[in-house]
Structure formats: structure tokens, C-alpha cells
Amino acid sequence: MENITIQVDPEIAKAYREAEPEKQQKIQIFLNIMLQKAVSQKQLLDIMEEASQQAIANGMTPEILDSILNDEN
């Protein structure tokens, strides 16, 4: 893996820094999949389907995603 820097809203940065390491790792997996797909030349629906399949294969559940998106601890 390699590090990159992206700009996010201050609230997002703060929430990420304050999150538990396990939650940070799940966010990193989710973002890595989404960024991979964003740079692909595939159709959006194909990208979303593949991202969903990869997220599930990496242990992402609807509950975890909901927790991340709703900033629950």
C-alpha cells in the first residue's frame, strides 16, 4: 500500500482521527475500493456492483457501512 493525501471537510478529518483503529481500517478499505473504481473506465453501475462485492468479501456489512456513513461509534 502507498499513502496519498486528499482534502476532506474538517469534520470528516476530525472524526477519522478520533475513530478507533478498527473503524479507520474499515474506512480505508472502503475508500480504497471506491478510489480504485473511480479511476477505472467501467460503467458506474458495474463499478458500484464490483465495489459492493469487494467490500462484502473484505468483511464490510450493511451495518458497518451504515455506522460509517452515519458516524456512529
Side-chain angles (χ1 to χ4, degrees):
M1 297 288 266
E2 188 173 334
N3 291 326
I4 63 169
T5 303
I6 59 170
Q7 293 184 344
V8 297
D9 292 333
E11 310 85 53
I12 294 171
K14 182 179 184 292
Y16 179 81
R17 283 192 301 272
E18 293 175 354
E20 296 292 325
E22 182 179 302
K23 187 170 184 179
Q24 288 181 354
Q25 183 180 18
K26 290 174 184 174
I27 294 168
Q28 289 172 20
I29 291 168
F30 176 76
L31 290 175
N32 190 53
I33 291 167
M34 295 309 295
L35 289 170
Q36 250 180 349
K37 301 309 175 188
V39 298
S40 171
Q41 298 299 315
K42 297 179 182 178
Q43 295 291 321
L44 179 59
L45 289 177
D46 293 337
I47 291 169
M48 292 172 64
E49 178 64 27
E50 287 181 22
S52 175
Q53 290 173 4
Q54 286 183 16
I56 291 167
N58 284 304
M60 181 71 68
T61 65
E63 294 80 16
I64 293 170
L65 179 57
D66 188 50
S67 173
I68 290 169
L69 295 176
N70 291 314
D71 192 35
E72 296 173 5
N73 291 321

